[in-house]
């Protein structure tokens, strides 16, 4: 087929029913610069003690105490290039604590991870650290310690240093056991086997919650993924324009990270992304509500999510050709540098060919110091020549000999008994200040606000024992009953939320009772929830304890619930053969009908809204795509309906939809937000709009157990709200109930849609209240531009019959005439 439009969409003959428009894909490698990605090694270690501990204190350990000696010894023994390198790496490893690294590195400061400099410094300091240990054992340091505190102090210092090195080594090796930095080991074999079967390698995949193991998985398979482990070589604008290091850990970047992940999950066909391997349940609600189907767990516990109707990758992918001179450089320069260093070391040890092995140190020093460093060497010799003769043996370097002589003279002086006692007291005080400070911090009871903050922090990290110990022992249930009560509390806040911030305020307090107002901010993959609670505390024996919450004790009257339902299963017609059987599995697409589609503007932004109906006898998994064109027919905006649509529809079921066009700009630091979006910037007027509705037969996401009761409009100072209750008449718990509110005009055409997620689950045969703050539609304007509609690639016949809907009349004076509520839920376990 020949394309007839510049965007690559080609129209197929009308005699080909139920065939979606074909696309000619072209890929352009983005050269946009990477937005700086925050990293702890670039932070100020004095402001965040945890970052300083991980990136500075733990790598250095006790060698940080050896560093001053190493630098002085390196200068005195003629190893000043090594000492200067250690000092430079030490300063660069301090990150943002000092301004020196930013000045020296320039723009590279925002690209490099500066902990590498600390690692290199700790390697280079080891030879000088060995000299420190030798001096501590039987050198000048040992002599000074014996002169100061006697042999006991020298032995105690040596023993303490050895024990400290061992303790720091064990602490560093076992730190991950006390504070987890990476997920548990993931067996890649089941994932690789899944990718290799049924031609799954023809699509891209994405991993969630894998940590650094994403690199090991990529090395095990030839399949490609949209994410990666090395952010400096990114080419997708959606990645280069954000500060997210990896999509698999998007939640650790908060709102901006989840917004970046949404771009790939909402428009997966743009990236040929068909499979998601999830090791973190936090992302399950987002995957469900943007249209992904849960296939189930593999043998290693990794859950596989699939998106239907995704085109495979083209046979040839674009690649960047590296110039031959760069390939030769990276292949020859690194090993050449190592060989050159070994050759220089051999030359230094063996001397000139034909000369004796022992030679003058001054001649050797001058031979290995070349180029711009000679001036510093000559300067040191001139200073040494100006020093008076002290009677020491003639040495090539009198400056170093003189300094060593002064150190030895000081070490031989035996201080008075009083001075020795003062030194011992000072050393003991330095050694005891840290334990005493830690002990004092644990004494006394925290005030009510600190107790409340610690309680919610324990709940967030699932430290159930610590959280229970903060409850009032006189009113709290026993431990097992309390854990049982916590286990039956479901919903997005209980199971899929992370505490993002907490602020406490003391409302009232007396000797025995206190009330604290806690403002909590929970982050989820689909929304963030600000929660305010008043917590009551009681003083029991000088310690504040929290009064436990009341628990819902009502039980439905029916203990056994029966519900008749229609189930669907896709058998397929695959044969047991090693050949390709894909063509025998092609199924007829469901017959769809777009009942209405309009282009509206709200706050100056173009939005496509409407309603689509499944007229088929089979359930369908829908994909709705909106396209905006300019006067020349070129595409100026393209996006999918994301959360504002019911993805899976039963036969004769309809769903409203809303398509908002999001901007992706390379080289711009976009702060994506799940609650909002970065609107597309249109430099040209919209001359045409199109809606493409396609679908495939599905068997998942068809549960419809929720019903709505007692819906009413309530006018408040902030605007109009909608209140009511949901009842779960199904047999499965609705973990995250979702209400899709549609606003309709007098002709029953959809004007706008709005999403609302309940924060608590609704178990079977139970009800839950909801309150929705309705959007303000005073700025909404309907565009007169006609919207072209394509159903599975063809223009449908007009006047198709559609099922009736239940509408709720709106009060007078509102910019809409009725509303419609469509209910769905994330069940949490399976499709």
């Amino acid at each position: 087929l020949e394309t007839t439009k510049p965007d690559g969409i080609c129209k197929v003959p009308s005699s080909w029913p139920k065939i979606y428009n074909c696309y000619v894909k072209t890929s352009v490698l983005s050269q946009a610069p990477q937005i700086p990605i925050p990293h702890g090694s670039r932070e100020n270690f004095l402001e965040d003690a945890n970052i300083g501990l991980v990136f500075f204190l733990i790598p250095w350990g006790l060698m940080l105490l050896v560093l001053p000696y190493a630098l002085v010894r390196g200068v005195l023994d003629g190893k000043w290039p090594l000492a200067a390198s250690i000092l430079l790496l030490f300063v660069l490893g301090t990150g943002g604590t000092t301004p020196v690294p930013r000045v020296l590195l320039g723009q590279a400061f925002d690209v490099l991870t500066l902990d590498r400099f600390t690692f290199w410094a700790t390697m280079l300091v080891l030879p000088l650290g060995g000299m420190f240990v030798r001096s501590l054992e039987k050198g000048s340091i040992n002599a000074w310690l014996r002169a100061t505190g006697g042999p006991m102090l020298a032995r105690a210092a040596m023993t303490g240093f050895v024990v400290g090195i061992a303790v720091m080594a064990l602490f560093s090796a076992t730190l991950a056991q006390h504070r987890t930095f990476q997920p548990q080991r993931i067996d890649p074999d089941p994932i690789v086997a899944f990718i290799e079967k049924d031609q799954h390698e023809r699509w891209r995949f994405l991993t969630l919650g894998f940590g650094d193991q994403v690199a090991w998985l990529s090395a095990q398979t030839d399949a490609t993924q949209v994410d990666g482990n090395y952010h400096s070589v990114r080419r997708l604008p959606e990645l280069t324009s954000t500060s997210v290091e990896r999509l698999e850990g998007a939640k650790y970047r908060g709102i901006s990270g989840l917004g970046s992940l949404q771009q790939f999950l909402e428009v997966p066909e743009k990236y040929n992304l068909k499979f998601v391997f999830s090791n973190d349940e936090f992302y399950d609600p987002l995957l469900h509500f943007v249209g992904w189907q849960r296939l189930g767990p593999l043998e290693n516990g990794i859950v596989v999510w699939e998106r239907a109707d995704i085109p495979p990758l083209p046979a040839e992918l674009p690649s960047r050709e590296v110039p031959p001179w760069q390939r030769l450089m990276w292949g020859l320069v690194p090993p050449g540098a190592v060989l050159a260093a070994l050759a220089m070391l051999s030359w230094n040890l063996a001397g000139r060919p034909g000369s004796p092995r022992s030679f003058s140190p001054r001649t050797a020093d001058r031979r290995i110091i070349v180029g711009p460093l000679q001036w510093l060497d000559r300067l040191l010799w001139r200073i040494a020549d100006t020093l008076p003769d002290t009677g020491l043996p003639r040495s090539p370097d009198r400056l170093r000999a003189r300094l060593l002589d002064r150190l030895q003279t000081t070490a031989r002086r035996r201080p008075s008994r009083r001075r020795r006692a003062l030194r011992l007291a000072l050393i003991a005080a330095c050694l005891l200040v840290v334990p005493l400070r830690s002990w004092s911090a644990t004494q006394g009871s925290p005030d009510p606000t600190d107790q409340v903050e610690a309680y919610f922090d324990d709940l967030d990290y699932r430290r159930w024992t610590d959280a229970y110990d903060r409850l009032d022992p006189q009113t709290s249930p026993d431990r097992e009953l309390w854990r049982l009560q916590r286990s039956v509390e479901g919903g997005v806040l209980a199971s899929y939320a992370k505490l993002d911030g907490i602020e406490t305020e003391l409302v009232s307090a007396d000797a025995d009772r206190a009330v604290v107002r806690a403002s909590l901010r929970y982050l989820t993959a689909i929304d963030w929830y600000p929660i305010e609670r008043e917590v009551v505390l009681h003083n029991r024996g000088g310690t504040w304890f929290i009064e436990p919450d009341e628990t819902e004790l009502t039980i439905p009257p029916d203990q056994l619930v029966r519900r008749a339902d229609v189930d669907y299963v896709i058998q397929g017609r695959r044969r047991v053969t090693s050949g390709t059987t894909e063509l025998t599995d092609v199924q007829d697409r469901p017959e769809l009908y777009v009942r209405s589609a309009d282009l509206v503007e709200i706050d100056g932004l173009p939005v496509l809204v409407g309603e689509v109906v499944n007229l088929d006898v089979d359930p369908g998994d829908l994909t709705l795509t909106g396209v905006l064109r300019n006067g020349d027919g070129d595409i100026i905006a393209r996006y999918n309906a994301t959360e504002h649509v019911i993805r899976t529809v039963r036969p004769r079921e309809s769903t409203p939809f809303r398509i908002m066009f999001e901007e992706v700009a390379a080289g711009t630091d976009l702060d994506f937000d799940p609650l909002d979006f970065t609107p597309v910037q249109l430099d040209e007027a919209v001359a045409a709009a199109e809606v493409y509705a396609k679908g495939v037969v599905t068997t998942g996401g068809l549960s419809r157990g929720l019903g709505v009761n007692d819906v009413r409009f309530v006018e408040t100072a902030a605007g109009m709200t909608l209140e009511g209750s949901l009842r779960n008449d199904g047999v499965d718990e609705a973990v995250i109930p979702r209400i899709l509110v549609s606003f309709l005009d007098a002709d029953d055409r959809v004007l706008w849609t709005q999403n609302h997620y309940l924060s608590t689950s609704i178990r079977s045969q139970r009800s839950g209240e909801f309150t929705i703050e309705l959007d303000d539609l005073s700025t909404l304007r309907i565009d007169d531009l006609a919207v072209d509609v394509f159903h599975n690639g063809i223009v449908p016949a007009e006047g198709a019959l559609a099922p009736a809907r239940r509408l709720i009349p709106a009060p007078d004076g509102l910019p809409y005439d009725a509303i419609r509520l469509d209910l769905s839920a994330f069940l949490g376990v399976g499709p």
Side-chain angles (χ1 to χ4, degrees):
L1 299 174
E2 295 183 357
T3 60
T4 58
K5 294 185 178 182
D7 59 336
I9 299 181
C10 51
K11 303 295 183 182
V12 300
S14 59
S15 59
W16 295 5
K18 299 187 178 181
I19 299 296
Y20 190 60
N21 295 339
C22 61
Y23 285 80
V24 180
K25 286 187 65 66
T26 58
S27 298
V28 179
L29 299 182
S30 170
Q31 301 297 328
Q34 173 65 53
I35 293 299
I37 299 175
H39 194 267
S41 62
R42 304 191 207 106
E43 302 297 329
N44 189 336
F45 299 157
L46 300 179
E47 294 179 354
D48 194 327
N50 292 327
I51 293 180
L53 176 68
V54 173
F55 291 105
F56 192 78
L57 292 181
I58 289 180
W60 275 106
L62 290 187
M63 298 305 294
L64 192 62
L65 303 178
V66 182
L67 182 61
Y69 173 88
L71 297 177
V72 174
R73 177 57 64 181
V75 174
L76 296 180
D77 289 357
K79 302 178 179 61
W80 62 265
L82 177 61
S85 300
I86 295 173
L87 180 60
L88 176 61
L89 294 174
F90 171 81
V91 174
L92 291 177
T94 57
T97 310
T98 63
V100 179
R102 182 178 292 275
V103 173
L104 295 179
L105 297 176
Q107 294 181 351
F109 178 85
D110 296 322
V111 178
L112 298 175
T113 53
L114 304 187
D115 53 332
R116 68 186 67 194
F117 298 113
T118 300
F119 174 75
W120 295 338
T122 57
M123 295 296 103
L124 292 181
V125 81
L126 289 179
L128 300 177
M131 297 176 65
F132 172 82
V133 175
R134 185 177 61 183
S135 178
L136 181 62
E137 181 185 7
K138 52 183 179 181
S140 59
I141 298 180
N142 182 276
W144 179 82
L145 290 175
R146 287 177 176 272
T148 302
M152 184 66 68
L153 179 60
R155 288 193 293 268
M158 187 64 186
T159 304
F161 184 79
V162 173
V163 172
I165 289 290
V167 170
M168 282 300 301
L170 292 175
F171 173 74
S172 302
T174 60
L175 180 61
Q177 303 296 327
H178 307 289
R179 185 167 185 176
T180 304
F181 296 99
Q182 293 287 331
Q184 297 294 327
R185 182 187 178 275
I186 300 173
D187 183 10
D189 293 339
I191 304 177
V192 174
F194 177 87
I195 294 176
E196 292 178 349
K197 70 179 180 181
D198 295 336
Q199 300 181 346
H200 290 164
E201 70 277 358
R202 297 176 61 189
W203 290 270
R204 287 192 175 101
F205 67 91
L206 177 65
T207 58
L208 296 175
F210 275 54
D212 292 339
Q213 299 178 73
V214 63
W216 179 240
L217 174 62
S218 298
Q220 304 298 308
T221 177
D222 294 332
T224 60
Q225 61 168 318
V226 296
D227 201 2
N229 196 47
Y230 189 48
H231 59 268
S232 296
V233 293
R234 291 172 170 176
R235 294 178 295 195
L236 290 176
E238 293 83 349
L239 290 176
T240 59
S241 61
T242 64
S243 60
V244 179
E245 183 176 4
R246 287 192 302 236
L247 294 176
E248 64 84 23
K251 73 176 184 180
Y252 298 108
R253 289 294 300 145
I255 293 295
S256 61
L258 294 174
S260 302
L261 176 63
Q262 279 186 347
Q263 295 180 105
F264 295 89
L265 300 181
E266 293 173 346
V267 195
E269 65 272 13
K270 180 179 179 180
Y271 317 97
N272 306 102
L273 174 61
K274 187 175 180 63
F275 300 104
V276 172
F277 300 102
S278 177
N279 190 40
D280 193 341
E281 294 181 350
F282 178 87
Y283 303 99
D284 288 2
L286 176 62
L287 290 165
H288 172 81
F289 286 113
V290 297
W292 291 77
Q293 296 287 339
R294 188 178 190 271
L295 298 183
L298 299 174
E299 293 89 338
N300 56 1
I302 301 301
V303 179
V304 182
W305 292 77
E306 180 188 23
R307 183 65 179 269
D309 215 3
I310 301 298
L313 285 165
E316 295 185 4
L317 295 176
S319 61
R320 182 180 180 182
E321 186 67 20
V322 179
W325 68 270
Q326 291 187 10
R327 296 200 296 266
L328 290 174
M329 182 185 70
W330 284 105
L332 297 178
V333 171
V338 176
L339 293 177
L342 293 176
M344 183 65 68
L345 179 62
S346 301
W347 177 273
N348 187 27
L349 294 177
R352 295 178 184 272
S355 63
R357 182 178 180 84
S358 60
F359 49 83
S360 171
R362 179 169 185 173
T363 304
D365 290 344
R366 285 177 174 253
R367 185 170 65 244
I368 63 174
I369 301 176
V370 295
L373 297 181
Q374 288 182 351
W375 69 270
L376 182 59
D377 183 63
R378 289 193 296 266
L379 177 62
L380 291 176
W381 282 102
R382 289 175 182 175
I383 297 175
D385 291 336
T386 60
L387 295 176
D389 190 2
T390 59
L392 295 173
R394 195 66 181 171
S395 172
D397 192 346
R398 299 175 59 189
L399 174 63
R400 283 175 277 176
R402 183 176 177 83
L403 292 176
L404 287 175
D405 178 61
R406 290 184 176 180
L407 289 176
Q408 293 174 1
T409 303
T410 303
R412 284 193 297 266
R413 295 175 181 172
R414 186 174 183 84
S416 63
R417 182 175 300 178
R418 179 180 179 184
R419 182 172 296 182
R420 292 172 58 185
L422 290 176
R423 290 179 180 179
L424 289 176
L426 180 62
I427 295 174
C430 294
L431 295 177
L432 292 177
V433 63
V434 174
L436 288 175
R437 178 67 182 88
S438 303
W439 176 81
S440 62
T442 59
Q443 301 305 305
S445 173
D447 59 30
T449 57
D450 293 339
Q451 189 77 313
V452 172
E453 291 181 3
Y455 174 72
F456 286 107
D457 188 67
D458 291 337
L459 293 180
D460 183 53
Y461 283 98
R462 306 297 193 265
R463 297 190 290 258
W464 305 117
T465 301
D466 295 340
Y468 179 80
D469 292 339
R470 302 183 190 279
L471 298 180
D472 189 353
Q474 296 186 9
T475 58
S476 62
D478 61 80
R479 190 184 303 271
E480 294 299 326
L481 179 58
W482 180 78
R483 286 294 307 273
L484 181 62
Q485 294 173 352
R486 298 289 308 179
S487 66
V488 298
E489 294 180 3
V492 64
L493 292 185
S495 305
Y496 302 96
K498 186 67 178 174
L499 184 61
D500 185 58
I502 177 173
E503 295 181 1
T504 55
E505 178 186 359
L506 186 62
V507 178
S508 62
D510 53 32
D512 298 327
R513 187 178 184 273
V515 178
V516 176
R517 180 181 295 110
S519 299
L520 311 171
R521 178 186 171 98
Y522 284 97
L523 175 67
T524 71
I526 55 178
D527 205 343
W528 63 267
Y529 294 86
I531 307 295
E532 285 198 1
R533 293 186 50 187
E534 287 195 353
V535 182
V536 179
L537 299 94
H538 299 278
N539 194 339
R540 309 294 185 188
T543 303
W544 290 99
F545 291 98
I546 298 174
E547 184 176 307
D549 299 330
E550 296 183 0
T551 305
E552 177 63 36
L553 301 177
T554 59
I555 300 177
D558 297 329
Q559 297 301 300
L560 179 63
V561 179
R562 301 175 180 87
R563 182 181 178 89
D565 205 350
V566 178
D567 292 331
Y568 302 87
V569 62
I570 300 177
Q571 296 281 5
R573 296 191 292 273
R574 290 177 180 255
R575 298 188 300 269
V576 182
T577 176
S578 59
T580 303
T581 62
E582 181 185 2
L583 296 179
T584 61
D585 284 339
V586 175
Q587 301 182 63
D588 195 13
R589 291 181 177 271
E591 185 176 355
L592 304 178
Y593 170 57
V594 177
R595 188 169 189 170
S596 65
D598 294 287
L599 179 65
V600 302
E601 291 186 8
I602 183 167
D603 297 330
L605 304 177
V607 182
L608 284 171
V609 294
E611 181 183 2
V612 63
V613 185
N614 180 15
L615 298 178
D616 212 293
V617 296
D618 296 323
D621 188 322
L622 306 182
T623 300
L624 300 172
T625 304
V627 174
L628 301 180
R629 298 181 183 273
N630 58 13
D632 297 331
D634 299 332
I635 290 182
I636 57 178
R638 177 189 183 92
Y639 216 74
N640 286 355
T642 56
E643 298 176 77
H644 298 89
V645 66
I646 304 296
R647 288 286 180 175
T648 54
V649 290
R650 291 180 170 236
R652 308 293 295 175
E653 189 177 36
S654 65
T655 174
F657 66 86
R658 187 180 93 188
I659 304 175
M660 304 189 73
F661 300 92
E662 186 170 344
E663 176 76 46
V664 176
T668 304
D669 191 5
L670 303 180
D671 190 14
F672 295 98
D673 190 335
L675 309 181
D676 202 353
F677 69 101
T678 303
V680 63
Q681 303 297 325
L682 300 179
D683 298 329
E684 304 173 82
V686 178
E690 300 170 355
V691 172
Y692 294 85
K694 63 176 182 176
V696 294
V697 177
T698 185
T699 60
L702 302 174
S703 176
R704 299 292 186 268
L706 291 178
V708 62
N709 299 313
D710 303 327
V711 180
R712 58 192 179 276
F713 289 87
V714 178
E715 187 173 359
T716 64
M720 189 65 68
T721 62
L722 191 69
E723 298 181 358
S725 63
L726 296 181
R727 176 174 173 79
N728 185 3
D729 290 323
V731 295
D732 297 317
E733 179 182 5
V735 178
I736 306 179
R738 193 267 295 268
I739 303 175
L740 184 59
V741 184
S742 307
F743 303 85
L744 298 93
D745 61 8
D747 298 328
D748 292 347
R749 297 178 68 89
V750 177
L751 299 175
W752 190 254
T753 64
Q754 178 182 349
N755 246 340
H756 180 75
Y757 300 96
L758 270 68
S759 60
T760 58
S761 65
I762 302 179
R763 288 184 285 169
S764 177
Q765 304 302 304
R766 289 173 171 84
S767 299
E769 304 294 328
F770 67 85
T771 300
I772 306 174
E773 296 183 2
L774 300 179
D775 290 344
D776 183 13
L777 304 184
S778 58
T779 61
L780 186 139
R781 184 180 65 86
I782 302 177
D783 201 304
D784 296 333
L785 186 66
V787 178
D788 296 328
V789 178
F790 300 90
H791 304 164
N792 287 326
I794 61 175
V795 179
E798 296 293 338
L801 296 178
R805 302 153 301 173
R806 180 184 175 186
L807 306 179
I808 303 174
D812 297 335
L814 296 178
Y816 45 88
D817 294 273
I819 64 169
R820 167 187 171 185
L821 302 182
D822 291 274
L823 310 177
S824 63
F826 171 60
L827 303 182
V829 286

